[in-house]
Amino acid sequence: MSASAPFPDRSSLRATRRLRMLRAMAWTCAALVLVIIGLSAHIRLTRAGAACEPRSQCLSLSSQASRADAAVGSGEPAPAVRTAHRAAASATLLLVLAMLALTLSAQPARCAERRLVLGLLGLTLCLAVLGLWGRSSLHPAVTLGNLLGGFALFALCTRLARTATAPVGMTAGAATDAPARRWVRPAILLVLAQIALGSLMRVDAAWLHTAHRAAGLALAALLLTISWRLWRQGERALAAALTILPILLAALGLALTMPAPPPALILAHNLCAALLLAALASLRR
């Protein structure tokens, strides 16, 4: 009698279906968060434009955000924008709760995905509280919290989608070698530092500009190191992303130094930063 491969049992098929569902939900959540990041940036630019009147107050500010604010300057975002922002945020919270229920009921338990979903839930609730508390505030702390929270939420969604790609019974694994893994966390911290420094650039302080440039150079060196090692391992797509995205960010950053950059340019800059952070977070380590 010839040996044949055993049929997968019912529990294994159920676990595979749950994994595919979790992956689809994680990518959907990432897309929603990306929409929220764009809408939030539009709302901030619109409100800051009104806060920068009269025009003489804007002339003392040196950041690209301040110069772009004057070009938007309508005071309050359109009702459709606010409605879309609330709808996307509500859908994200519901999706995170659904993913939490899915991971809590999974058998066998997948602890990595469960931890990531709990992190998503914590970040989503913190952003909801921050949004209610600082709904119309332009305070730097509110802006910084919204920015870092939104970018971190997008990175976690992407990480969860990549983790849920691993077969049942395996972790999203050790494809990245130890030297490359060593530099992933410092690179993520530098990206977050760049986001934080960029949000504070409306303050006319020379040390902020110097710190922003220094962190950018350090980040470029780290990303080149990680990209080279990923390329050697055959992770060509991630290596290309970690090479192209910093170049795009640098080009957009130079374009944002023009006297009145269009808001679309700032949104593109935010999008590239979010994709770079997600690419680093999705590295299997």
Side-chain angles (χ1 to χ4, degrees):
M1 181 181 295
S2 59
S4 59
F7 290 101
D9 57 16
R10 186 172 300 178
S11 62
S12 177
L13 290 174
R14 190 181 300 115
T16 301
R17 284 196 299 268
R18 285 177 182 271
L19 194 62
R20 289 175 180 169
M21 187 182 301
L22 180 64
R23 182 167 63 249
M25 293 168 72
W27 282 123
T28 304
C29 189
L32 282 172
V33 173
L34 205 57
V35 170
I36 293 171
I37 289 174
L39 292 173
S40 297
H42 175 78
I43 291 171
R44 282 194 302 271
L45 287 172
T46 304
R47 285 176 174 165
C52 203
E53 297 293 341
R55 177 68 178 170
S56 59
Q57 294 179 4
C58 294
L59 297 178
S60 63
L61 303 178
S62 61
S63 72
Q64 72 258 9
S66 299
R67 290 190 291 270
D69 293 342
V72 181
S74 61
E76 281 297 324
V81 174
R82 296 177 60 88
T83 302
H85 185 271
R86 289 181 186 138
S90 300
T92 300
L93 178 57
L94 292 176
L95 201 54
V96 170
L97 290 174
M99 288 190 291
L100 180 62
L102 192 63
T103 54
L104 289 176
S105 62
Q107 293 297 332
R110 292 180 62 92
C111 297
E113 286 87 348
R114 191 174 297 175
R115 286 194 297 267
L116 287 170
V117 174
L118 287 173
L120 285 173
L121 180 61
L123 269 176
T124 304
L125 293 177
C126 286
L127 286 170
V129 172
L130 188 61
L132 291 174
W133 176 66
R135 181 174 300 174
S136 58
S137 174
L138 293 175
H139 194 279
V142 175
T143 301
L144 187 60
N146 279 317
L147 274 175
L148 293 180
F151 280 103
L153 195 63
F154 179 68
L156 277 182
C157 288
T158 309
R159 172 66 179 162
L160 177 61
R162 285 293 300 270
T163 303
T165 304
V168 176
M170 297 177 59
T171 57
T176 309
D177 64 355
R181 291 199 306 271
R182 187 183 309 143
W183 301 114
V184 170
R185 185 169 297 176
I188 290 175
L189 292 177
L190 277 173
V191 172
L192 292 174
Q194 285 289 80
I195 294 170
L197 289 170
S199 71
L200 298 174
M201 291 284 279
R202 65 175 58 250
V203 180
D204 192 7
W207 70 268
L208 278 175
H209 295 267
T210 302
H212 193 59
R213 294 189 187 101
L217 291 174
L219 178 60
L222 277 178
L223 292 177
L224 284 175
T225 302
I226 297 172
S227 299
W228 175 65
R229 293 190 176 277
L230 287 174
W231 188 271
R232 291 183 60 188
Q233 292 175 233
E235 293 274 358
R236 303 295 172 86
L238 273 176
L242 294 180
T243 303
I244 295 172
L245 285 172
I247 296 174
L248 286 176
L249 280 168
L252 289 169
L254 289 175
L256 287 173
T257 60
M258 68 175 67
L265 208 58
I266 298 177
L267 294 178
H269 194 267
N270 285 348
L271 174 63
C272 287
L275 292 176
L276 177 59
L277 186 61
L280 287 169
S282 68
L283 283 174
R284 293 174 289 180
R285 60 189 190 275

